[in-house]
Amino acid sequence: MTYQTINPYTNELIKTYPFATDDELEATLNKAHQAFENAKKQPIAERGKILHAVAANIRKHGDELVRMCSTEMGKKVGEAKGELEITAMIADWYADNAEELLKPTPVKTSFPGEAEVLHQAMGIVMAVEPWNAPFYQVMRPFAPAFMLGNTMILKHASNTPGTAQMLCDVINEAGVPEGSLTNMFLTYDQVNKAINDPRVRGVTLTGSASAGAIVAAEAGKAIKPSTLELGGMDPFVVLADANMDDVNKVAPDARLQNAGQICIAAKRFIVMDSVYDEFMDSLIDYFSKVKPGDPLDPSTTFAPLCTKAAKEKVLGQIDEAIKAGATVAYQYPEIDLPGQFVRPIILTDVKPGNPAYDNEIFGPVALVFKVHSEEEAIELANDSPYGLGGSVWSADPDHGARVAAQIDTGSVYVNNTTSSMPELPFGGVKTSGYGNELGRDGLLVFSAEKLVMKSARSL
């Protein structure tokens, strides 16, 4: 693992970043712990004003942040702008709502007196975050942690170091107290060292299941709470009564956005037989018309993958799927560009036992399944080790909701693609991880819950 910026469109090495030293980690832990101690004396309303300033500063520096993101990981400039705005929205939402959401919770009791639960900060949160949404994935844990009074040390992905550092500089420039958020270019051993430090009181990771298992085990040995978001195989279920104009408008981008590199992207299209042919015709038509190009060019509709290693992995997974019996329903022509492009492909006949049936492919690969009943659709949607998000499409929202309730994922959207908004809790089940972020859940996930029992006299 080397922290470096390589433009995935030009393959140019732009900059390499040195690892942090152990002395730098120790100094950062000291500052973060002191910031936590100081936050105990700071009114939450004051932190809200600071977080509003953070949102404003992110928008002020939007152009340079977007350019860095698109250059470093290949995200289309329009998508990067959208991600940046939701990042600022998360900061604004917690600034507006955290004080009310953190009020003591009264508890009815037969014990003499009055009981309430206080929601208090715990200390430093160690955050290990990925490259595919490099703004959003930082603000998602930071904003609630900051409003509660926790502090955060960030270990971002090794291929987006410039974006991570620029974003943290912009956040700190807005007036965040020193030590509240520090980006560090840590080794894996240093991450483990931080997790085991007594000043660190919680751990959050978004990434692969293998990385999550390692971090969760380390946090468990240290008896510290953790949250994990580990990807998904999100089902996109098209029922027989679906409005196909809506489905065909949304489905292709639900898979190809960010070149397919989104944990909550539609990975498995599960389509009733009566609308299957129409769905396939529309999906193939869209896939055939994408325009590969420079992510910084607004006319580009299809961007490269983030790294050479990512491209090689996806190509290997496609080959494995085909060798195991998958049918290529469509594949985009060769792309005569230097970047890390993977041609969009649609696979059918992916059966149990095929590696693609169970394993997430983080790229522009659509798996399409034909089903003959709603029961079969639900069974197929649930036949996955993952359980992050999903969507159900029906002209009758109540009908769609009844089906959605039977799908074993952390969230299901009816007549909309899986999304993420500040007020909505976000998390998965099964191999997709545990613990919700965003919404009130995001505030409480790293809070110390303290019961205070007030009685007029002793018994």
Side-chain angles (χ1 to χ4, degrees):
M1 177 185 67
T2 300
Y3 288 90
Q4 57 185 8
T5 299
I6 298 177
N7 185 325
Y9 177 66
T10 65
N11 304 319
E12 174 190 4
L13 173 62
I14 297 173
K15 186 174 181 179
T16 299
Y17 298 76
F19 287 111
T21 66
D22 287 345
D23 287 345
E24 288 170 334
L25 175 57
E26 177 61 26
T28 296
L29 287 164
N30 280 330
K31 287 181 182 178
H33 182 70
Q34 187 58 56
F36 161 66
E37 292 292 336
N38 294 342
K40 294 177 182 178
K41 308 165 195 155
Q42 183 184 42
I44 191 170
E46 185 176 326
R47 290 199 289 276
K49 292 178 182 177
I50 294 172
L51 202 53
H52 273 310
V54 166
N57 210 39
I58 286 172
R59 292 185 175 105
K60 176 183 174 182
H61 291 279
D63 288 346
E64 59 197 276
L65 284 164
V66 163
R67 185 170 187 84
M68 173 62 83
C69 174
S70 295
T71 300
E72 198 165 49
M73 65 142 295
K75 180 169 286 191
K76 292 185 297 183
V77 65
E79 292 177 345
K81 287 179 179 177
E83 183 195 333
L84 194 74
E85 179 54 28
I86 188 66
T87 301
M89 287 170 61
I90 291 170
D92 278 333
W93 189 85
Y94 278 106
D96 286 335
N97 294 284
E99 186 170 15
E100 180 67 25
L101 294 173
L102 289 172
K103 284 183 176 179
T105 303
V107 180
K108 290 184 179 180
T109 176
S110 59
F111 193 87
E114 298 177 0
E116 63 180 15
V117 174
L118 308 183
H119 313 291
Q120 299 182 325
M122 298 176 66
I124 303 170
V125 175
M126 180 70 233
V128 181
E129 300 298 336
W131 49 266
N132 63 323
F135 308 133
Y136 163 81
Q137 298 283 10
V138 174
M139 190 59 70
R140 191 170 80 186
F142 172 69
F146 178 73
M147 289 303 297
L148 184 60
N150 290 327
T151 57
M152 196 170 98
I153 295 174
L154 171 67
K155 182 255 179 271
H156 216 303
S158 60
N159 63 311
T160 51
T163 304
Q165 191 59 57
M166 183 181 290
L167 178 63
C168 289
D169 288 346
V170 167
I171 290 171
N172 287 310
E173 180 186 86
V176 171
E178 184 180 12
S180 298
L181 172 65
T182 307
N183 176 60
M184 301 198 77
F185 304 126
L186 300 176
T187 66
Y188 295 125
D189 286 344
Q190 288 172 323
V191 171
N192 289 341
K193 182 177 181 180
I195 291 172
N196 285 280
D197 190 283
R199 291 163 291 188
V200 172
R201 300 296 298 277
V203 185
T204 183
L205 176 142
T206 296
S208 67
S210 58
I214 293 169
V215 166
E218 203 66 36
K221 285 190 294 183
I223 316 178
K224 294 175 183 178
S226 60
T227 64
L228 303 177
E229 194 266 271
L230 307 176
M233 287 284 285
D234 287 17
F236 186 110
V237 179
V238 184
L239 301 178
D241 66 346
N243 183 323
M244 293 306 294
D245 287 342
D246 290 344
V247 169
N248 294 333
K249 187 185 303 180
V250 171
D253 199 49
R255 187 66 195 101
L256 293 185
Q257 187 178 12
N258 203 24
Q261 301 168 118
I262 301 179
C263 56
I264 53 174
K267 307 282 176 35
R268 297 177 296 148
F269 294 99
I270 300 171
V271 186
M272 288 291 290
D273 51 8
S274 59
V275 293
Y276 180 86
D277 290 342
E278 179 183 353
F279 177 86
M280 284 294 290
D281 288 345
S282 176
L283 192 68
I284 290 170
D285 181 64
Y286 186 101
F287 272 42
S288 69
K289 293 177 179 176
V290 298
K291 180 184 176 184
D294 185 346
L296 287 168
D297 183 345
S299 69
T300 293
T301 65
F302 183 71
L305 297 196
C306 63
T307 63
K308 180 181 179 182
K311 175 181 177 177
E312 291 173 347
K313 179 178 180 179
V314 170
L315 290 177
Q317 289 177 298
I318 292 170
D319 287 343
E320 286 181 346
I322 295 170
K323 288 177 182 176
T327 297
V328 179
Y330 173 78
Q331 187 168 26
Y332 194 84
E334 293 291 341
I335 298 173
D336 187 20
L337 291 170
Q340 304 303 326
F341 288 94
V342 170
R343 296 184 288 155
I345 186 171
I346 301 170
L347 298 178
T348 60
D349 301 315
V350 177
K351 307 294 185 183
N354 189 316
Y357 189 86
D358 290 323
N359 297 318
E360 180 182 33
I361 301 179
F362 222 51
V365 183
L367 309 182
V368 186
F369 301 83
K370 181 192 291 188
V371 292
H372 307 285
S373 69
E374 290 185 6
E375 292 75 18
E376 185 184 357
I378 294 165
E379 182 180 358
L380 179 56
N382 290 336
D383 190 20
S384 170
Y386 291 95
L388 189 58
S391 63
V392 174
W393 296 80
S394 169
D396 178 358
D398 291 334
H399 176 204
R402 289 192 295 271
V403 173
Q406 300 174 70
I407 294 178
D408 191 12
T409 58
S411 64
V412 186
Y413 285 64
V414 177
N415 295 333
N416 226 319
T417 53
T418 311
S419 187
S420 182
M421 293 295 288
E423 67 274 15
L424 300 177
F426 179 83
V429 297
K430 300 191 284 189
T431 307
S432 289
Y434 54 78
N436 280 339
E437 295 181 300
L438 297 177
R440 187 170 188 261
D441 292 3
L443 279 166
L444 301 185
V445 70
F446 291 121
S447 69
E449 306 298 283
K450 178 184 293 182
L451 171 68
V452 175
M453 188 69 220
K454 296 182 291 186
S455 298
R457 57 183 178 81
S458 61
L459 297 178

